[in-house]
Amino acid sequence: MAHLSEVVKTLGAENAQVDNQCLKQNVQHVQTLQQGGSPLYESDQTQVSSSWLSFDDAMAIGLLRLIAKSNTKSCIKANPPRSDVSNAANFTITDWADHIRLAKDAQVDAFALNIAADDAINGPALQLAFTAAQSARFKIFFSFDYVARGPWNQNDVIRLLLQYRMNEAYYCVNGHPFTSTFEGSENAEEWKNIKAITDCYFIPDWSSLGVKAALEKGYGLVDGLFSWAAWPSGAQDMNTQVDMSYLELLQETGGLAYMMLVSPWFCTNLPGYGKNWLWRGDDLWYDRWQEVLSIRPDFVEIISWNDYGKSHYIGPLHQGGYGAFKTGKAPFNYAEGMPHDGWRIILPFIIGHYKNGSAA
């Protein structure tokens, strides 16, 4: 894998150059982090702070997550990229087909569609996405965002799952429709009814609680948990401290599944949403995948496919996906003309290794 390290570092350097304008906008925030400040973790490094949760308040439907099966364990492994459907609001069926083709080329098994409550684009966007996925024999699943536009009504969650769970494009685990969330722990009790009616396989992101409290909240409800910890704290390298805390407690609680997050970096300057920071990237894309290969979690999610406003997109640029820069009052569009396609080059090798134990 030594040669792969050099490839990844070269790609990272190229992407760093094209996003240099964005980095300059966040120098002050970096200096704060290097002095020991960190908006991501609480002092015990196991709980995501509430301020971190507000970072995602502009997302609606469209973050694509990668999912991949693993043949190295009896359980299913997945590798999905998160897709922000709000950034795909004007996608045509051809656009969806093109993005799915690129994801399949990267050996991605599924897209996780991050959808916000009461968003008018959900209906038409989902119909197009599932039509394209079905035609391409690709998979999709829902990640219900409880922050962007507030909590979901459980009846709407049930309606969507019942509508699409039998669609051959919906991603399932042992016949159960895979379902995730972005936060929403305050509505945990509603999932008793949702699961009873939809028979879903439920892995929420309740990172704001920390793993212990999330497990207590989700006892008897969750099939696993998803951690939002994908970026290093301050000037440190990324480590697996949070991942291991999840894995240990999930194993102690009946062998529940863990979904691990991978992201190339994070840089945003959207003052309209109160966002202006970056987290250290450097060799993160390579380092984090090495941590995945070491831990071999049940599922891996890539953040993100098309979240242009946070600069961690690995999917292609799309002219109609830049709405966040206007509504977020960005000083300039720092994604336009800044492709990150190079990050996908290594995915067939890394995902092949994750699934099968070798890059072949």
Side-chain angles (χ1 to χ4, degrees):
M1 297 291 288
H3 64 288
L4 180 58
S5 172
E6 296 306 315
V7 171
V8 176
K9 290 179 180 179
T10 300
L11 293 173
E14 292 174 353
N15 283 336
Q17 290 176 2
V18 299
D19 265 12
N20 189 47
Q21 289 176 299
C22 180
L23 302 182
K24 288 180 179 178
Q25 291 289 325
N26 292 276
V27 168
Q28 184 176 0
H29 188 75
V30 172
Q31 291 172 341
T32 300
L33 293 179
Q34 290 176 337
Q35 292 168 3
S38 173
L40 179 55
Y41 301 122
E42 299 286 1
S43 58
D44 66 359
Q45 291 287 301
T46 62
Q47 181 174 348
V48 180
S49 69
S50 58
S51 62
W52 165 234
L53 299 180
S54 68
F55 297 174
D56 234 46
D57 57 6
M59 292 185 183
I61 179 175
L63 291 181
L64 300 176
R65 297 173 181 171
L66 310 168
I67 268 199
K69 292 182 181 179
S70 169
N71 296 326
T72 60
K73 290 186 179 180
S74 59
C75 62
I76 291 180
K77 289 199 175 184
N79 189 349
R82 178 175 174 126
S83 168
D84 192 338
V85 178
S86 62
N87 291 340
N90 63 352
F91 265 29
T92 64
I93 190 72
T94 301
D95 292 325
W96 278 110
D98 288 344
H99 281 245
I100 287 171
R101 174 181 53 80
L102 292 173
K104 290 185 69 174
D105 288 346
Q107 301 300 307
V108 170
D109 290 330
F111 279 156
L113 299 183
N114 190 66
I115 51 178
D118 300 319
D119 195 324
I121 70 170
N122 288 355
L126 291 179
Q127 185 175 5
L128 290 175
F130 273 93
T131 299
Q134 191 170 2
S135 178
R137 297 184 178 181
F138 190 67
K139 301 298 182 182
I140 288 174
F141 68 88
F142 296 142
S143 176
F144 294 96
D145 192 328
Y146 279 73
V147 176
R149 291 172 176 257
W152 275 80
N153 183 301
Q154 65 171 307
N155 292 326
D156 293 334
V157 173
I158 292 169
R159 177 182 55 80
L160 278 177
L161 284 171
L162 291 180
Q163 180 180 353
Y164 284 103
R165 68 175 181 173
M166 300 305 294
N167 189 301
E168 65 181 6
Y170 199 96
Y171 183 79
C172 293
V173 175
N174 297 325
H176 305 279
F178 192 102
T179 309
S180 186
T181 72
F182 180 69
E183 283 305 314
S185 60
E186 298 86 352
N187 300 80
E189 286 297 314
E190 296 176 359
W191 284 91
K192 288 182 180 179
N193 188 43
I194 295 170
K195 288 199 68 173
I197 295 174
T198 66
D199 195 30
C200 65
Y201 185 88
F202 184 43
I203 298 190
D205 160 43
W206 292 342
S207 299
S208 60
L209 299 179
V211 58
K212 184 176 180 180
L215 279 172
E216 291 173 353
K217 194 89 167 181
Y219 183 77
L221 297 174
V222 302
D223 296 289
L225 288 175
F226 167 34
S227 169
W228 202 254
W231 301 275
S233 176
Q236 306 173 45
D237 288 336
M238 187 62 192
N239 60 54
T240 59
Q241 183 175 347
V242 175
D243 303 298
M244 294 308 299
S245 69
Y246 271 79
L247 282 167
E248 290 171 7
L249 285 176
L250 287 166
Q251 285 300 312
E252 292 174 5
T253 314
L256 298 178
Y258 177 54
M259 184 151 70
M260 185 172 173
L261 195 67
V262 175
S263 185
W265 59 25
F266 195 135
C267 171
T268 185
N269 189 355
L270 300 172
Y273 298 130
K275 304 176 183 182
N276 183 15
W277 65 81
L278 66 81
W279 283 313
R280 182 169 175 258
D282 298 336
D283 299 331
L284 181 60
W285 189 231
Y286 172 76
D287 291 345
R288 191 62 172 158
W289 278 113
Q290 294 306 301
E291 292 170 354
V292 166
L293 295 179
S294 174
I295 291 176
R296 296 198 173 274
D298 302 288
F299 301 91
V300 178
E301 178 166 308
I302 296 176
I303 302 293
S304 64
W305 183 262
N306 65 338
D307 195 354
Y308 305 113
K310 298 181 182 67
S311 307
H312 46 43
Y313 53 93
I314 68 165
L317 295 173
H318 181 68
Q319 191 63 37
Y322 300 144
F325 295 104
K326 181 177 180 179
T327 57
K329 300 179 181 179
F332 61 95
N333 183 337
Y334 44 82
E336 189 170 23
M338 305 292 181
H340 291 174
D341 302 289
W343 273 327
R344 297 197 308 275
I345 292 175
I346 67 164
L347 288 183
F349 307 99
I350 289 287
I351 293 174
H353 205 297
Y354 166 66
K355 290 181 182 180
N356 307 309
S358 69

